[in-house]
């Protein structure tokens, strides 16, 4: 969707509000173990191999129509992970993946197809903010070589650690030719709203999209606060939690670092206390029944 169309269709956007709309894009789905979602006292390997309860995990990205260009928050999964036996190089990885996730993908779940479904040409994506480097969040980056890819410097450092693939961070699908990665560092903010966080990063310089470090799921995971006059503020938290109610209840999942997760949960809850009306966004489906017709697109905010 070219910028001019956004303005033409959304008169308020030409006044003073930088963002026309925020949409969640459904990029396929998988199932995960109940213990993965809700946590367990049992050792991880036990439920990975012997867990029998599965819950539905929608795979998502978000599309923000900003006046400087279209921004993605995460890029979804590459369906090749299900259909191409060589997508994961290590045999142990391919073996474990099928024990951890039951993938249920179609070729059309790739981000370029998903965007086309909502009338957007993938070539018009200007930036992509990557919440963390797990394979189901970076799967679309090969489709957007023209876009700046923003990732936290802490998350990027994982690539230099031994065996990031053991954490489902697959170098071969991240360090790809042509990918325009930009490592961001969080800088201190004078705004008391962000006093709890170890800095902020303003994506477009107008305060409408603020990145906040929310580690725990991975060491460099980030969340994105979207706010502008006249809108309820929203916080996109990616995999910080699988369900907003779990963050509220201080309940950690079966993956990530529990103490770091709880520290990030507390920061997010305090942010919500300081920012009335803040909606923490993590669209999720309970149970394991697949919806008869999964919506391809859901507008959270705006009209563009
Ligand atoms: Zn993840």
């Amino acid at each position: 969707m070219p910028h001019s169309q956004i303005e033409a269709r959304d008169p308020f956007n030409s006044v003073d509000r930088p963002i026309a709309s925020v949409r969640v894009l459904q990029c396929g789905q998988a199932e995960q173990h109940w213990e993965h979602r809700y946590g367990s006292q049992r050792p991880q390997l036990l439920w990975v191999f012997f867990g029998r309860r599965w819950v539905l995990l929608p795979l998502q990205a978000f599309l923000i129509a900003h006046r400087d260009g279209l921004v993605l928050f995460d890029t979804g999964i590459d369906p090749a992970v299900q259909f191409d036996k060589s997508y994961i190089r290590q045999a142990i990885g391919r073996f474990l993946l099928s024990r951890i996730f039951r993938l249920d993908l179609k070729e059309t779940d790739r981000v370029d197809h998903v965007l086309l479904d909502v009338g957007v040409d993938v070539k018009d994506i200007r930036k992509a903010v990557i919440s963390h480097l797990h394979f189901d969040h970076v799967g679309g980056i090969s489709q957007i070589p023209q876009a700046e890819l923003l990732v936290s410097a802490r998350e990027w450092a994982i690539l230099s650690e031994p065996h990031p693939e053991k954490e489902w961070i697959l170098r071969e699908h991240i360090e790809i030719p042509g990918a325009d990665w930009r490592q961001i560092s969080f800088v201190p903010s004078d705004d008391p709203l962000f006093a709890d966080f170890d800095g902020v990063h303003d994506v477009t310089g107008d305060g409408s999209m603020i990145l906040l470090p929310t580690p725990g799921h991975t060491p460099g995971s980030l969340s994105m606060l979207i706010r502008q006059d006249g809108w309820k503020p929203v916080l996109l938290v990616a995999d910080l939690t699988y369900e907003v109610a779990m963050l509220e209840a201080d309940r950690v999942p079966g993956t990530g670092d529990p103490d770091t997760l709880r520290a990030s949960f507390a920061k997010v809850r305090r942010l919500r206390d300081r920012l009335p009306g803040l909606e923490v966004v993590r669209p999720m489906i309970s149970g394991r029944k697949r919806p008869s017709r999964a919506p391809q697109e859901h507008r959270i905010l705006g009209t563009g």
Side-chain angles (χ1 to χ4, degrees), residues 3 6-8 10-18 20 67:
H3 176 206
I6 297 171
E7 282 193 338
D10 195 2
F12 75 66
N13 194 47
S14 61
V15 183
D16 59 355
R17 292 201 275 196
R67 62 183 165 207

Side-chain angles (χ1 to χ4, degrees), residues 1 23-28 63 106-122 294-299:
M1 188 188 307
R23 287 180 277 188
V24 55
L25 305 171
Q26 301 296 344
C27 303
L63 177 66
K106 304 188 196 99
E107 298 283 3
T108 50
D109 289 327
R110 205 174 63 187
V111 73
D112 52 329
H113 297 287
V114 172
L115 285 168
L116 204 57
D117 275 352
V118 297
V120 171
D121 187 331
V122 70
Q296 284 298 308
E297 177 250 349
H298 172 66
R299 186 170 289 112

Side-chain angles (χ1 to χ4, degrees), residues 131-137 217-218 221 239 242:
S131 66
H132 63 295
L133 290 173
H134 279 160
F135 69 97
D136 53 330
H137 295 255
H217 178 66
T218 63
S221 289
D239 287 351
Y242 291 113

Side-chain angles (χ1 to χ4, degrees), residues 25 34 71-72 79 92 101 132 142 144 179 181 211 214 220 227 231 236 259 285:
L25 305 171
W34 187 95
V71 177
L72 283 174
I92 182 70
F101 292 112
H132 63 295
S142 59
I144 49 171
W181 285 104
L211 305 184
T214 49
R227 59 173 180 162
W231 274 11
L236 308 181
D259 291 341
I285 301 164

Side-chain angles (χ1 to χ4, degrees), residues 67-230:
R67 62 183 165 207
D68 289 349
L70 296 172
V71 177
L72 283 174
F73 182 74
D74 286 331
T75 66
I77 195 168
D78 187 342
V81 70
Q82 182 174 331
F83 304 116
D84 178 357
K85 291 279 178 274
S86 64
Y87 188 86
I88 296 179
R89 279 188 197 155
Q90 294 78 12
I92 182 70
R94 293 194 293 274
F95 172 76
L96 283 174
L97 180 69
S98 63
R99 268 68 187 173
I100 294 174
F101 292 112
R102 289 175 170 174
L103 296 175
D104 181 8
L105 303 173
K106 304 188 196 99
E107 298 283 3
T108 50
D109 289 327
R110 205 174 63 187
V111 73
D112 52 329
H113 297 287
V114 172
L115 285 168
L116 204 57
D117 275 352
V118 297
V120 171
D121 187 331
V122 70
K123 295 191 187 71
D124 288 332
I125 299 299
R126 177 96 175 266
K127 293 178 195 276
V129 174
I130 305 299
S131 66
H132 63 295
L133 290 173
H134 279 160
F135 69 97
D136 53 330
H137 295 255
V138 299
I141 63 167
S142 59
Q143 308 304 314
I144 49 171
Q146 78 285 355
E148 290 177 11
L149 306 174
L150 307 185
V151 64
S152 79
R154 177 64 191 91
E155 188 74 358
W156 192 257
I158 299 172
L159 294 168
S160 304
E161 296 171 1
H163 301 296
E165 72 278 3
K166 288 185 179 172
E167 304 298 327
W168 302 104
I169 292 175
L170 309 176
R171 278 198 193 103
E172 62 269 32
H173 299 297
I174 295 169
E175 297 173 308
I176 58 174
D180 184 10
W181 285 104
R182 315 274 176 106
Q183 295 177 55
I184 59 151
S185 299
F186 297 101
V187 297
S189 167
D190 294 338
D191 190 335
L193 197 57
F194 306 122
D196 290 326
F197 292 91
D198 296 328
V200 303
H201 178 84
D202 189 338
V203 176
T204 45
D206 57 16
S208 63
M209 289 181 278
I210 299 286
L211 305 184
L212 301 166
T214 49
H217 178 66
T218 63
S221 289
L222 57 78
S223 298
M224 182 155 82
L225 175 66
I226 299 173
R227 59 173 180 162
Q228 62 183 2
D229 290 345

